[in-house]
Amino acid sequence: MTIRRILPYPARQLKRRARLVDGITDEIRELAGDMIETMYDAPGIGLAAPQVGVGLRLAVIEMAGNEDERDPLVLINPEILDRSSDVDVASEGCLSLPGFFIDITRPVSVELRFLDLDGVERELALEGLQARCAQHEIDHLNGKLIIDHLSRLKRGIIVAKYKKERAASKQKKSRMG
Ligand code: NI
């Protein structure tokens, strides 16, 4: 398995709607394995294929409730069948926007339908952090990032700050040779 490069915002691939996976091939299995490895390496609790430059509807999320365990779940062509009317607000980060955290309101629980790596259709009810994570990753498959949950004004402020920090860290890197 290979650790793939995670594309930072504003990469074009992050803004595109990903295409359906139309068959579980060796390539898809390899992509899923690499994405799990890349997620743990980052480290993160979820990763969507567009973040590694692949425009397919595939995401991985961590299901283990504590940091000592690993229980990755591969979601292929995931769909949200139902969402709770209960919502909550939590601070979310994104591996494609390192260092930024944004308060996002989302349904507390969701019901998902997806294909697993054997091509079997599954349905699963998620709540809490896993539900939030799945919604974040499905947003990625639709070309939507955490900053797209903000008003235009707030997004403009955050993006300006992000670009400034990225430019500063690039400069630092080039100074080190
Ligand atoms: Ni993200």
Side-chain angles (χ1 to χ4, degrees):
M1 281 187 278
T2 314
I3 291 166
R4 302 202 186 192
R5 188 171 100 86
I6 298 174
L7 300 176
Y9 175 84
R12 284 190 322 271
Q13 290 94 327
L14 296 171
K15 294 182 182 175
R16 290 194 193 122
R17 190 180 162 83
R19 300 182 316 275
L20 287 169
V21 172
D22 62 6
I24 313 297
T25 58
D26 285 347
E27 205 181 1
I28 292 296
R29 277 186 280 267
E30 190 182 332
L31 171 65
D34 288 355
M35 282 174 55
I36 290 169
E37 205 66 10
T38 305
M39 170 177 75
Y40 288 131
D41 178 68
I45 56 166
L47 187 67
Q51 293 182 277
V52 294
V54 179
L56 290 174
R57 303 189 79 77
L58 194 155
V60 295
I61 62 172
E62 175 56 60
M63 295 292 286
N66 67 69
E67 283 174 22
D68 306 327
E69 280 173 63
R70 286 184 172 187
D71 183 17
L73 178 68
V74 178
L75 303 172
I76 298 168
N77 299 340
E79 288 172 79
I80 297 178
L81 298 178
D82 203 8
R83 343 169 128 70
S84 62
S85 50
D86 282 1
V87 296
D88 68 358
V89 185
S91 176
E92 288 183 29
C94 178
L95 295 173
S96 293
L97 279 153
F100 280 79
F101 294 89
I102 293 170
D103 282 345
I104 298 181
T105 304
R106 296 190 190 269
V108 174
S109 54
V110 290
E111 258 182 64
L112 291 186
R113 179 161 63 203
F114 58 96
L115 296 179
D116 66 17
L117 274 180
D118 297 316
V120 176
E121 191 176 281
R122 291 175 56 185
E123 288 185 12
L124 187 65
L126 296 177
E127 57 174 38
L129 185 59
Q130 283 85 15
R132 178 169 289 275
C133 188
Q135 292 174 79
H136 177 117
E137 302 314 329
I138 291 170
D139 274 355
H140 272 301
L141 303 182
N142 295 326
K144 186 172 180 178
L145 299 171
I146 50 176
I147 50 174
D148 297 318
H149 286 264
L150 297 171
S151 67
R152 247 175 101 173
L153 179 68
K154 277 191 185 166
R155 185 168 61 230
I157 294 167
I158 295 268
V159 167
K161 198 173 159 205
Y162 170 82
K163 287 185 173 166
K164 204 174 146 189
E165 285 185 13
R166 266 195 89 206
S169 78
K170 260 186 196 164
Q171 217 175 26
K172 214 190 280 172
K173 272 180 206 152
S174 65
R175 250 189 263 128
M176 291 192 290

